[in-house]
Amino acid sequence: MATGRDELTSYEYRQMRTRILRESDVCIVCGHGASDAVDHIHPVSRGGARKDPDNLAPIHGVDGCPVCLRKCNSEKSDRALADVVQLHTSVDWFAGP
């Protein structure tokens, strides 16, 4: 059964995902490292390109951020990045001394 999201399992998409996470694992929502997924910056449901590498960025997936515990991908949902409350701080209080 086709879900309209078949590109997520394509070889081409998996290669792009690997390349993006290799270049940077800093989440576009919370700004912490160790992202394990990529997400569309401009949602496909709102006209964003499905397989454009410029429209994909690292994000914490199902397990969430190990530092701030946010569920970044769930919080972003199908909203544009500008509509998501991003974490901006000069000090990473969760990093420890």
Side-chain angles (χ1 to χ4, degrees), residues 44-67:
V44 173
S45 63
R46 299 178 188 252
R50 287 185 186 271
K51 293 185 181 179
D52 180 3
D54 294 332
N55 192 35
L56 294 170
I59 196 166
H60 291 108
V62 177
D63 294 332
C65 177
V67 178

Side-chain angles (χ1 to χ4, degrees), residues 3-95:
T3 62
R5 300 299 305 218
D6 293 334
E7 83 275 1
L8 297 177
T9 59
S10 73
Y11 179 75
E12 178 186 9
Y13 180 83
R14 289 182 289 138
Q15 290 294 94
M16 268 192 296
R17 177 186 174 277
T18 300
R19 188 179 77 246
I20 289 167
L21 290 173
R22 191 178 314 130
E23 291 171 3
S24 174
D25 68 347
V26 176
C27 179
I28 58 170
V29 173
C30 72
H32 294 119
S35 292
D36 57 353
V38 297
D39 193 28
H40 296 95
I41 297 167
H42 186 74
V44 173
S45 63
R46 299 178 188 252
R50 287 185 186 271
K51 293 185 181 179
D52 180 3
D54 294 332
N55 192 35
L56 294 170
I59 196 166
H60 291 108
V62 177
D63 294 332
C65 177
V67 178
C68 66
L69 307 178
R70 289 176 75 176
K71 301 291 186 185
C72 300
N73 200 7
S74 295
E75 285 183 31
K76 182 178 175 299
S77 186
D78 69 342
R79 297 181 292 166
L81 187 57
D83 297 336
V84 179
V85 177
Q86 294 176 296
L87 183 63
H88 295 288
T89 180
S90 59
V91 178
D92 186 352
W93 298 103
F94 299 99

